[in-house]
C-alpha cells in the first residue's frame, strides 16, 4: 500500500498525522517492527496509550478489514497485519493496565468455539484491566466446558464472550443455555461482543448486554457490577 521505501523512511521525522497515516500503511503491510517503533514514538510524544490504540492501530485494522472483505487482501496478509497489531498492543497493554483504578471485580472472557479471532477480545481484556477488573482470558476456540469450568474455578462477576463470525456467534447461546441448565445463569453478568453482533442478538440469546467496543464493555461492566453490589447490599 505504501509508496515509500520503508528502509529509507525515518519515522521520527514525520509529524503526528503523517506518522499515524504511515502506521495505517505499515499495519496493512504487516510491518511489525515499524509498528512497534511508531507506537513508541507516539508515546514519547506524550500521546495517551488509548489514543495510540484507537487512532493508529484499531483504525488501521478497520482499513485492513475492508480490503479483506473486498477480496483485495487474503488470510496470510491479514495474519501479518494482525501480528503487527498485536506487537503494538503488547507495548500498550501495561500502560493501559497501569491506571491505578480501584478494583472493580473479575471477568472471565474467551472467544467461542470455532472462532480464532482474538484481537478485539484482547483489547477488551486490556481495557478492562485498565479499568480495575481482574481478567481471566481463556483465549480462542472455547467449547462450553471451558467456560463452565472457568466460572467454577475463578468465580468472576462477569462472563464475556467474543465472536467475529456469523457462523460462530450462535455458540454464545449454547453457553448461556448450559449456564441455565446448571442453574448458574443468574450468578453472573453475561456480556457479549464482536463485529457481527447487535443488541437484538444479545437479547435473543439471553445475554445481559451487547458491547459494541472495548470502551462500551468497560462502561457496561462497571454499571452491571455496581448494580449487583447494590442489589446484594439491599438484600442483606
Ligand atoms: Co477474519 N473475518 N476470518 N481473520 N477477520 C472477519 C471477522 C470478516 C468480517 C472479514 C470480512 O469478510 N470482512 C469475516 C467474517 C464474515 C462473517 O462471518 N460475516 C472473516 C472471515 C470470513 C474469516 C475466515 C473464515 C477467512 C477464511 O479462512 N477464509 C477465517 C476464520 C477463522 C476462524 O475464526 N475459524 C478468518 C481468519 C482471520 C485471521 C486469522 C486471518 C485474522 C484473525 C487474527 C486474530 O484475531 N488473531 C482475521 C482478521 C484480523 C479479521 C478482520 C480483518 C479484523 C478483526 C479484528 O481484529 N478487528 C475482520 C474484519 C472486521 O471485523 N471488519 C475479519 C479489530 C478489532 C479491534 O475489532 O474484533 O470487532 P473487533 O473487536 C471489537 C468489538 O467487536 C468489541 O470490542 C472490540 C474492541 O473495540 N468486541 C467485544 C469484540 N469481542 C468482544 C467481547 C466482549 C465485548 C466486546 O465481551 C464482553
Amino acid at each position: 500500500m505504501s509508496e515509500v521505501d520503508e528502509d529509507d523512511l525515518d519515522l521520527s521525522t514525520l509529524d503526528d498525522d503523517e506518522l499515524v497515516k504511515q502506521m495505517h500503511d505499515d499495519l496493512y503491510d504487516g510491518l511489525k517492527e515499524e509498528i512497534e517503533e511508531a507506537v513508541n514514538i507516539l508515546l514519547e510524544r506524550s500521546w495517551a496509550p488509548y489514543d495510540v490504540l484507537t487512532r493508529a492501530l484499531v483504525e488501521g485494522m478497520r482499513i485492513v478489514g475492508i480490503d479483506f472483505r473486498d477480496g483485495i487482501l487474503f488470510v496470510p496478509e491479514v495474519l501479518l497485519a494482525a501480528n503487527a497489531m498485536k506487537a503494538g498492543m503488547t507495548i500498550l497493554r501495561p500502560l493501559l493496565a497501569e491506571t491505578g483504578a480501584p478494583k472493580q471485580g473479575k471477568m472471565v472472557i474467551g472467544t467461542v468455539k470455532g472462532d480464532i479471532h482474538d484481537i478485539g477480545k484482547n483489547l477488551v481484556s486490556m481495557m478492562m484491566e485498565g479499568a480495575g477488573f481482574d481478567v481471566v482470558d481463556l483465549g480462542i476456540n472455547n467449547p462450553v466446558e471451558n467456560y463452565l469450568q472457568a466460572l467454577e474455578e475463578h468465580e468472576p462477576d462477569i462472563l464475556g464472550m467474543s465472536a467475529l463470525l456469523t457462523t460462530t456467534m450462535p455458540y454464545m447461546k449454547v453457553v448461556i443455555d448450559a449456564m441455565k441448565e446448571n442453574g448458574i445463569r443468574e450468578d453472573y453478568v453475561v456480556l457479549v461482543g464482536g463485529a457481527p453482533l447487535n443488541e437484538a442478538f444479545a437479547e435473543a440469546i439471553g445475554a445481559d448486554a451487547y458491547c459494541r467496543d472495548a470502551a462500551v464493555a468497560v462502561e457496561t461492566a462497571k454499571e452491571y457490577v455496581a448494580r449487583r453490589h447494590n442489589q446484594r447490599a439491599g438484600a442483606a
Side-chain angles (χ1 to χ4, degrees), residues 10 12 28-29 47 89 102 105 116 123 125 154 165 181 191 218:
D10 179 355
S12 64
Y28 192 96
D29 294 334
W47 271 51
M89 283 165 67
I116 63 168
L123 227 149
S125 299
H154 300 288
L165 301 172
E181 278 162 28
L191 303 182
V218 166

Side-chain angles (χ1 to χ4, degrees), residues 124 192-195 197-199 209-217 220:
V124 171
V192 293
L197 278 63
N198 57 34
E199 274 168 28
Y210 157 69
C211 306
R212 188 181 63 243
D213 58 30
V216 170
T220 312

Side-chain angles (χ1 to χ4, degrees), residues 68-69 78 114 116-120 162 164-166 194-195 212-214:
F68 188 28
R69 179 196 64 203
V78 177
I116 63 168
H117 295 86
D118 66 354
I119 293 175
S162 180
L164 264 285
L165 301 172
T166 44
R212 188 181 63 243
D213 58 30

